[in-house]
């Protein structure tokens, strides 16, 4: 009764007001930051609300002058608008929520606002990615972050990148970072057979952001596998309105440069002058540039189509589906890379947003046609006076391809016609890869701020390759070949709970704590079968099928005091099936603190600083990845059919006690990081500065065991220590920032030093482990030694004449024992740079944009093994007297031979510092030509691997040991991008 | 109410975690691909497991891994084919002497050719690793064959007897490996089955301590081995007597104390009790069917189909061939399509034969047509005559079972060697033999070499002295991996009493320092085991 009365009273007091005021109907349109209409935005008045329609338009009834409207949309900053008299058809623009994209960084098991991050984390979003055609996910971030190097190991289409976060983290095991794709930690070790790149299943176009975790505070939550850094890849999700995006490009890859070998005339003269009658008799009359015969300008195309939107009208269920297709020829003839990718993700939320599901499925099919790489070396040495094909009837049985044939003989020597090697070998590899996961996040209704997150993931890959060589390639016309297969299944289950209470007025301005569990099971196996071309025997490999299981418990707490001081602590306890029970578990803690100086009073009125934060972190991460799956356990290995022993009383297969080391335990990496994040002049310039030291102890490495204590000579042990120190500086800012014209510059640089600090169980400063850096002939060019950079060149000291030319076979007798042998080597420079420098910029003028990416490296050295191997007159003739081409460096050295000392002469170790223009891309947005707001059309043209400036003699200064390799091409491409 | 919900969520968390804790059992993983654990290997057929493990110990002297011809290697070096035990042993005993030289310039080879090796020489490291690999798997066999384990594995009495015999054979094979270490390296740190498994730093033995160990080990197992010639290929008493005889013959080098009398005692057992006889033809000992030769006391078995590898006699034959021996000739005469253009001999061996064509002494089996006798440039294959006594063909001229891989067993010990050792022991003053018998033995060899009834070969008792014997050993036993040991025993290896082409790196041969009579301990092992001391001079 009383309630009814109250209502009546209230009603009566309200009535006069509403009767007196002039209400009207207000129309308007809401746009996003790109002036595209926003669909589904909420416009809320004091008494009413409306939703924008497909044109972004709304009509709000019963509006009064001076009413305050709030316009909101997920992911955008709320805007308030006070209604004026006479308002009609108002235009409202919502800006993207500042903390939505680049200001949120994805860290392990969660996200954090950039301003609250305590670790060294770099977040690169799609708008900052390298532009142009990109086949591999990691190429998107080349040159974008200090301390992160991305280099292509080879010019083969679809080949992966070598990614290093703060340099080497291992010696004989992988230094690849851990990749997390949409919450799924990928297998680092076992790529599928027949694939060139384990990340090939992700279409780069699908990637929204890439976050790089560098220091232990950031990575420790991934404990066991994070020592080499963590790269978190987040893919694009659905959008609120139906969007179709199509992009395509056509590209041409061009070989850049040939290795300088002798031309046909010079070659003919030299052979005639130096050779015996038998040798000279081999010469032909042609003039063939064999390198031109194997390399080509290769064409490729790529297409990507994606559709995103909301799946159902009533439920919040954004989705995105994409397909991508690439078909790229390689510059080495006959090579081709074809890839089909598909992805689907659905991110519905239920229960009013309390239950969020993120489901991803990603599939890739790769068909590789591998060009026979041995043609590259053959093209260097093939006799340029011969033609590719010969009319001589003795070659009929071999497809007409010319091979050197001893004068008067009817049997070709199969020394390698590079064109035959390409055309008569068919090597294919097909791979299917699938990664799918369902991540569920549930905000538990019982306790406010408590949420549970479950992630179930499955990664599978199967690959097969087949290699067939034509009978034309064998003297006995035997066809050769073989094939192999591999398959793997990785299951992941991760679960965590997060508690983030809402805090009232309190000195603690932010607090959260989380704990979780992770389970991963990796099953992989494979086998192969080959026909021996000499004997025709079918050789079956010993099959391999292994399982590795990893489990972990982890926790993290964040606390913020007075909106100024941040503290993060993490702990992870990891278990691995690789080690025996006593050594199985490792604990990996980290702590980090940050001080938001910008929130201090003394910077409140600063005109200079718009952001300033000091960070410090310490932590330990671990590594358990060593060669096999069972390195700590005694196992017996069976043999294949070709390995037995025979007595009069029977033939027995052989069973070997495999080597194992039951002392293996977790390798530990301790990292200290000091960082400073800053923003200057209203964030027109932003950047960070990092200072770090990383000590790896108990490094899992192959080492020599005391002879006889293990059933091999070298095996894994926790044996070495390695120390890395570095400084990183990231800077980016707008040099010009006007409405029609902007120029953004990004510069980052790294100074780094890596040193081996222990190598053996017994400290021995003088010992050099020279088992690294194959330079052919079973010879190694690199060594490890305490006090030096790992993989430093290990060389003889060349003696030079007064003109500065090397004197053949004259080396400094460093140990003064009167003979020159391996003990006269010294530790030389290393292939790793002292300073790396990246520079990228983006110029936007109206609808035109221009991006360039530059990279420089200082203090890296290369070992020119091509010159060392082929730069001597002795290489002019093969074992069977056939003439072989040599490189023109011989004209400088006049060397008559190569031998084990010359191969490792420091003459061939050269400064390979360089400046590279990796990428230049120009784009033009054509949208203005169309009278349709929804259509966005742009075109772009790009050149990759544009320019190299270096003093290095060889072709590629980034190569380390310069062996015969598949050279990186220069790529020209033209692309279109349309969004509707 | 709030409290109950809190409890509920805690229970929820705990439930999940309990499940997860039980999953930690999955951290115990085993392979599913045929690899076996200690337990599973012996589960179904323990005897078969023991047989395959002892077969591996035998095979470790020739095969390079678990996958023929290459793959799943035993020891880790850049080229698996190089790592065959007998291949490396052969190189160190032959290429560093007057009998052999190799054209290849792979790391370490020129230094072996020219006696300038250092402590990181890869050939030296490879044989060292191989010796200790054999030791380690022999130790593993013995650890698996303890009485307790045999009790537990349910073998029948006869099976158990067999395994116990295999144990003795494992000890023999290990002793043979240590004998090689004794000869090549002298002072090493041996490891035994009673030592801890896994990383530890074994104690160093001096050369004479190692000698004592090998001697006592062989004497201890004599009664447990098969009688001579009971089963071809097995390490039997004949092999053991011969190994003991070798040990005593070289005792003065190894320990400073001559033991020729003890050597003669063992040789008498070989010759009188062994049941061996000279093959009808010298060449039969080096053919694809040489397992039928009654002369072979202990072979390293080889088979082109069932034991594929790039070591052993496959290597010896293929590396001997190349232009001017054509591919067609290689196939027709040597049963192989492999020509590796590698090792030849030096004129020092050729000159030990009055007629190198084989027209007189049939043991001279050389390729000389198109070859030069002298070597100007060691890396040129055609310089220096080819050694062609090993052929992958049988007595009837049929090729071996495989065109790439050889069927020729490597003759580790054969009766002819025992005859020559007998004569040497007698000449050196050992008791238990006499010159008349020695002369007879030598003339038996020479009669076979020159053809029965051809008096050219006959030598009189007075002609048999040490100078004759060291040359006769070259003529009879060249390229059987005895030469370096023989030259050292005769004082002809280091110094300059006897020079051969390219000795010490000079074309005409030059003195090499005495310390080169043993090889250096590889620096890799010195770095791993602080108990080791580098051999003097290195």
């Amino acid at each position: 009764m009383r309630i009814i009365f109250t209502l009546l009273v209230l009603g009566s007091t309200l009535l006069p007001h509403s009767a007196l005021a002039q209400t009207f109907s207000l129309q308007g349109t809401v746009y996003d930051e790109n002036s595209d209409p926003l669909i589904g935005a909420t416009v809320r008045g004091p008494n009413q609300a409306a939703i924008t329609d497909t044109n972004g338009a709304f009509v709000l009834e019963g509006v009064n002058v001076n009413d305050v409207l709030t316009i909101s949309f997920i992911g955008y900053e709320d805007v308030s608008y006070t209604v004026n008299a006479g308002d009609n058809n108002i235009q409202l623009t919502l800006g993207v929520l500042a903390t939505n994209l680049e200001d949120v960084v994805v860290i392990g098991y969660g996200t954090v606002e950039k301003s609250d991050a305590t670790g060294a984390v770099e977040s690169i979003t799609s708008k900052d990615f390298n532009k142009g055609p990109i086949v591999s996910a990691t190429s998107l971030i080349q040159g974008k972050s200090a301390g992160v190097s991305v280099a292509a190991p080879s010019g083969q289409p679809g080949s992966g990148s070598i990614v290093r976060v703060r340099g080497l983290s291992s010696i004989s095991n992988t230094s690849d970072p851990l990749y997390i794709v949409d919450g799924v930690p990928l297998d680092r070790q076992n790529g599928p057979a027949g694939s060139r790149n384990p990340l090939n299943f992700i279409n780069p176009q699908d990637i929204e952001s890439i976050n790089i975790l560098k220091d232990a505070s950031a990575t420790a939550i991934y404990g066991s596998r994070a020592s080499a850094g963590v790269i978190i890849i987040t893919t694009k999700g659905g959008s609120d309105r139906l969007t179709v995006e199509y992009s395509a490009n056509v590209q041409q890859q061009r070989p850049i440069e040939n290795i300088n070998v002798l031309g046909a005339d010079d070659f003919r003269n030299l052979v005639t002058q130096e050779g015996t009658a038998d040798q000279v008799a081999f010469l032909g009359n042609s003039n063939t540039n064999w390198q031109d015969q194997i390399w080509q300008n290769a064409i490729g195309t790529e297409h990507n189509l994606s559709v995103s939107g909301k799946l159902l009208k009533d439920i919040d269920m954004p989705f995105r589906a994409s397909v991508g297709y690439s078909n790229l020829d390689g510059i080495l003839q006959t090579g081709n890379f074809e890839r089909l990718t598909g992805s689907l993700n659905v991110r519905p939320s239920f229960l009013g947003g309390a239950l969020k599901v993120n489901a991803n499925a990603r599939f890739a099919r790769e068909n590789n046609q591998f060009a026979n790489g041995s043609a590259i070396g053959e093209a260097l040495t093939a006799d340029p006076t011969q033609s590719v094909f010969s009319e001589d009837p003795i070659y009929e049985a071999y497809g007409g391809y010319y091979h050197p044939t001893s004068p008067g003989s009817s049997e070709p020597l199969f020394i390698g016609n590079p064109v035959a090697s390409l055309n008569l070998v068919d090597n294919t590899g097909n791979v299917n890869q699938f990664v799918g996961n369902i991540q569920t996040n549930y905000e538990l209704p019982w306790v406010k701020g408590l949420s549970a997150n479950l992630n179930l993931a499955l990664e599978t890959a199967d690959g097969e390759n087949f290699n067939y060589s034509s009978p034309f390639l064998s003297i006995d016309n035997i066809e050769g070949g073989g094939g192999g297969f591999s398959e793997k299944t990785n299951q992941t289950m991760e679960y965590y709970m997060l508690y983030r209470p809402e805090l009232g007025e309190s000195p603690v301005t932010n607090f959260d704590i989380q704990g979780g569990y992770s389970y991963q099971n990796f099953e992989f196996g494979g086998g192969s079968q080959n026909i021996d071309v000499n004997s025709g025997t079918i050789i079956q490999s010993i099959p391999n099928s292994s399982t590795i299981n990893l489990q972990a418990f982890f926790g993290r707490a964040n606390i913020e005091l007075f909106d100024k001081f941040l503290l993060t602590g993490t702990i992870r306890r990891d278990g691995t099936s690789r080690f025996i029970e006593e050594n199985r578990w490792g604990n990996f803690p980290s702590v980090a603190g940050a001080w938001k100086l910008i929130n201090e009073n003394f910077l409140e009125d600063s005109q200079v600083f718009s952001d300033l934060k000091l960070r410090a972190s310490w932590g330990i991460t671990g590594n358990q990845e060593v060669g096999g799956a069972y390195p700590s356990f005694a196992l017996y290995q069976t043999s294949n059919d070709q390995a037995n022993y025979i007595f009069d009383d029977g033939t027995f297969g052989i069973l070997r006690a495999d080597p194992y080391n039951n002392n293996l335990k977790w390798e530990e990496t301790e990292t200290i990081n000091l960082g400073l994040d800053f923003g200057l002049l209203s964030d027109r310039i932003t950047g960070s500065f990092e200072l770090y030291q990383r000590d790896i102890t108990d490094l899992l490495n192959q080492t020599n065991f005391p002879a006889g204590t293990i059933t091999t000579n070298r095996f894994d042990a926790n044996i070495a220590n390695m120390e890395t120190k570095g400084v990183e500086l990231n800077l980016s800012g707008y040099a010009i920032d006007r409405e029609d014209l902007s120029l953004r510059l990004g510069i980052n640089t790294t100074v780094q030093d890596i040193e081996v600090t222990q190598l053996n169980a017994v400290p021995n400063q003088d010992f050099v482990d020279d088992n690294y850096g194959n330079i052919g002939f079973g010879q190694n060019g690199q060594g490890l030694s305490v006090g030096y950079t790992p993989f430093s060149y290990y060389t003889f000291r060349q003696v030079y004449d007064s003109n500065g030319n090397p004197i053949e076979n004259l080396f400094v007798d460093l140990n003064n024992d009167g003979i020159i042998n391996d003990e006269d080597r010294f530790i030389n420079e290393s292939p790793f740079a002292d300073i790396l420098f990246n520079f990228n910029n983006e110029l936007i003028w109206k609808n035109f944009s221009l991006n360039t990416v530059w990279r420089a490296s200082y203090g890296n050295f290369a070992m020119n093994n091509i010159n060392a191997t082929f730069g001597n007159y002795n290489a002019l003739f093969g074992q069977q007297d056939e003439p072989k081409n040599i490189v023109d460096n011989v004209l400088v050295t006049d060397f008559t031979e190569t031998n084990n000392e010359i191969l490792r002469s420091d003459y061939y170790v050269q400064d390979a510092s360089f400046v590279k223009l990796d990428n230049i891309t120009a784009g033009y947005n054509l949208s203005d030509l169309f009278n349709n707001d929804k259509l966005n059309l742009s075109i772009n043209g790009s050149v990759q691997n544009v320019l190299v400036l270096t003093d290095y003699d060889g072709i590629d200064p980034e190569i380390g040991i310069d062996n015969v390799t598949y050279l990186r091409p220069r790529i020209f491409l033209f692309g279109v991008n349309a969004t509707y | 109410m709030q409290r109950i919900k809190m409890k509920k969520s805690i229970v929820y968390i705990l439930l999940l975690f309990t499940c997860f804790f039980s999953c930690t059992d999955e951290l115990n993983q085993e392979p599913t691909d045929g690899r076996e654990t200690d337990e599973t290997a012996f589960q179904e057929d323990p005897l078969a497991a023991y047989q395959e493990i002892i077969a591996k110990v035998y095979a470790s002297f020739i095969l390079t891994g678990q996958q023929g011809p290459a793959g799943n290697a035993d020891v880790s070096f850049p080229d698996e084919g190089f790592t065959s035990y007998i291949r490396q042993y052969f190189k160190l005993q032959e290429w560093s002497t007057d009998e052999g030289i190799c054209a290849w310039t792979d790391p370490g080879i020129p230094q072996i050719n020219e006696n300038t090796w250092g402590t990181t020489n890869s050939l030296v490291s490879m044989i060292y690793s191989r010796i200790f690999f054999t030791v380690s798997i022999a130790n593993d066999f013995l650890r698996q064959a303890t009485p307790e384990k045999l009790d537990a594995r349910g073998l029948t009495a006869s099976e158990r007897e067999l395994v116990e015999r295999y144990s003795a054979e494992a000890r023999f094979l290990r002793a043979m490996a240590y004998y090689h270490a004794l000869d090549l390296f002298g002072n090493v740190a041996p490891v035994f089955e009673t030592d801890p498994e896994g990383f530890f730093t074994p104690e160093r033995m001096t050369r004479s301590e190692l000698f004592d160990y090998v001697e006592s080990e062989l004497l201890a197992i004599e009664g447990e081995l098969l009688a001579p010639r009971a089963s071809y290929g097995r390490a039997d008493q004949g092999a053991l007597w011969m190994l003991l005889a070798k040990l005593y013959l070289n005792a003065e080098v190894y320990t400073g104390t001559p033991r020729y009398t003890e050597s003669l005692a063992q040789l008498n057992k070989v010759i009188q009790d062994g049941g061996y006889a000279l093959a009808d033809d010298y060449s039969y000992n080096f053919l694809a069917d040489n397992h039928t030769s009654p002369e072979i006391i202990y072979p390293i078995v080889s088979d082109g189909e069932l034991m594929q590898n790039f070591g052993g006699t496959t290597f010896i034959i293929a590396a001997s061939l190349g232009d001017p021996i054509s591919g067609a000739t290689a196939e027709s005469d040597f049963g192989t399509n492999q020509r590796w253009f590698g090792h030849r001999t030096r004129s020092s061996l050729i000159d030990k034969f009055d007629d190198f064509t084989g027209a007189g002494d049939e043991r001279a089996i050389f390729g000389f047509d198109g070859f030069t006798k002298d070597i100007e440039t060691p890396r040129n294959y055609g310089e220096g005559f080819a050694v062609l006594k090993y052929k992958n063909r049988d007595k009837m001229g049929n090729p071996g079972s495989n065109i790439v891989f050889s069927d020729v067993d490597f003759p580790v010990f054969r009766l002819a060697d025992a005859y020559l050792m007998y004569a040497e022991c007698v000449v050196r003053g050992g008791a238990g033999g006499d010159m008349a018998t020695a002369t007879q033995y030598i003339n038996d060899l020479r009669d076979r070499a020159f053809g029965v009834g051809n008096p050219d070969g006959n030598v009189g008792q007075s002609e048999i002295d040490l100078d004759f014997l060291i040359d006769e050993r070259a003529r009879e036993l060249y390229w059987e991996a005895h030469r370096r040991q023989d030259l050292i025993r005769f004082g002809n290896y280091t110094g300059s009493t006897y020079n051969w082409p390219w000795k010490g790196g000079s074309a005409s041969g030059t003195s090499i320092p005495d310390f080169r009579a043993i090889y250096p301990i590889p620096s890799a092992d010195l770095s791993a085991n602080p108990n080791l001391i580098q051999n003097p001079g290195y």
Side-chain angles (χ1 to χ4, degrees), chain B residues 232-510:
Chain B
Y232 183 81
R234 296 275 291 279
D236 56 22
Q237 288 174 337
L240 179 129
W241 299 331
M242 196 64 184
L243 185 52
L244 270 172
K246 284 273 181 197
L247 197 65
Y248 293 131
L249 179 67
N250 293 287
E252 194 168 1
V253 173
Y254 300 151
T255 69
T257 311
R259 305 279 292 272
Y260 301 109
T261 302
E262 286 92 332
S263 186
L264 271 172
Q266 299 299 329
L267 291 165
N268 283 327
K269 285 197 265 186
V270 171
I271 296 167
Q272 285 155 27
D273 308 339
Y276 306 104
L278 293 183
D280 292 345
D281 195 289
Y282 174 77
S283 68
Y284 292 174
N285 290 307
F286 315 104
L287 299 181
D289 55 353
N290 63 344
H291 58 277
T292 62
S293 166
E295 185 175 336
I296 291 181
I297 298 167
Y298 184 71
I300 291 171
V301 175
S302 199
D303 188 277
E305 287 293 327
L306 297 169
M307 293 180 57
Q308 296 188 348
N309 69 95
F310 293 99
T313 52
T314 297
F315 149 75
I316 296 176
I317 296 170
S320 298
L321 301 176
D323 282 344
I325 297 165
S326 73
T329 310
E331 290 202 29
S332 64
D333 293 4
F334 300 94
T336 179
N337 62 10
Q338 301 289 295
R339 295 186 306 151
W340 298 354
F341 294 75
H343 49 190
R344 308 87 67 198
T345 185
R346 315 190 194 210
S347 58
S348 35
L349 174 62
I350 301 301
D351 290 342
K352 291 185 172 49
F353 291 92
D354 293 333
D355 180 349
F356 61 72
T357 65
D361 188 338
E362 289 176 8
R363 295 174 300 188
I365 309 175
F366 301 113
F368 44 84
D369 244 358
F371 291 85
T372 61
K373 191 175 98 176
D374 293 319
I375 297 168
E376 253 178 62
T377 312
R379 65 157 188 270
N380 287 352
Y381 170 80
E383 300 180 17
F385 289 174
V387 171
L388 303 176
K389 78 178 188 183
Y390 295 93
K391 297 179 175 73
N392 188 27
R393 288 190 317 151
D394 67 12
K395 283 182 280 198
M396 310 302 293
N398 302 311
S401 60
N402 187 288
I403 193 69
V404 176
F405 302 104
S406 158
D407 285 345
V408 184
D409 298 346
F410 184 81
V412 176
F413 300 132
R414 60 187 177 93
L415 185 61
D417 190 10
Y419 283 176
L420 287 164
M421 289 162 72
Y422 179 98
E424 185 182 337
C425 287
V426 173
V427 171
R428 288 182 188 275
D434 58 78
M435 276 313 289
T437 314
T439 310
Q440 184 54 51
Y441 287 157
I442 284 174
N443 280 324
D444 285 351
L445 297 177
R446 291 181 67 87
D447 279 346
R448 176 174 72 171
F450 285 82
V452 182
N454 180 348
D456 293 356
N458 278 335
V459 289
Q461 192 168 313
S462 61
E463 292 173 67
I464 299 173
D465 58 9
L466 289 178
D467 286 346
F468 169 84
L469 283 169
I470 185 66
D471 286 355
E472 186 65 11
R473 286 189 68 81
R475 288 184 286 265
E476 177 68 33
L477 297 165
Y478 68 92
W479 282 40
E480 292 176 50
H482 301 301
R483 191 59 180 171
R484 175 188 151 277
Q485 184 189 74
D486 290 346
L487 286 174
I488 292 169
R489 189 172 68 252
F490 282 81
N492 285 350
Y493 189 66
T494 57
S496 55
T497 30
Y498 174 55
N499 286 343
W500 57 86
W502 292 103
K503 178 180 174 183
S506 124
S508 54
T510 185

Side-chain angles (χ1 to χ4, degrees), chain A residues 607-664:
Chain A
Q607 300 297 306
V608 180
F609 287 104
S610 45
D611 186 17
L612 194 63
K613 185 171 70 173
L614 190 63
R615 289 181 277 109
S617 74
W618 167 89
I620 295 175
T621 49
N623 179 35
Q624 51 85 42
E625 288 185 5
V626 284
Y630 313 101
S632 310
F633 303 94
L635 291 174
Y636 282 98
Q637 173 68 62
T638 51
S639 58
N640 75 346
D641 292 345
Q642 283 73 31
N644 300 281
Y645 202 74
I646 304 171
F647 309 105
D648 255 9
D649 43 0
T651 297
F652 299 104
I654 54 178
L655 196 57
R656 179 181 67 197
D658 269 357
Y660 70 98
N661 177 2
N662 57 16
N663 293 320
L664 287 178

Side-chain angles (χ1 to χ4, degrees), chain A residues 493 497 519 545 551 584 636-637 640 642 644 648-649 655-656 660 707 712-713 777 822-823 897 900, chain B residues 13 20 23 26 28 32-33 36 66 68 72 74 76 105 107 119-120 140 197 234 306 308 379 525:
Chain A
M493 180 186 70
M497 296 197 79
Y519 168 98
S545 168
Q551 297 181 41
R584 178 163 291 166
Y636 282 98
Q637 173 68 62
N640 75 346
Q642 283 73 31
N644 300 281
D648 255 9
D649 43 0
L655 196 57
R656 179 181 67 197
Y660 70 98
T712 187
N713 56 334
F777 303 100
D822 279 2
E823 280 145 68
E897 64 165 352
N900 295 313
Chain B
I13 298 163
F20 300 148
C23 299
E26 289 188 44
N28 298 314
T32 50
D33 54 11
E36 308 255 22
Q66 292 301 95
N72 211 319
D74 297 331
S76 143
T105 53
T119 61
T120 57
D140 175 72
E197 288 183 60
R234 296 275 291 279
L306 297 169
Q308 296 188 348
R379 65 157 188 270
D525 202 29

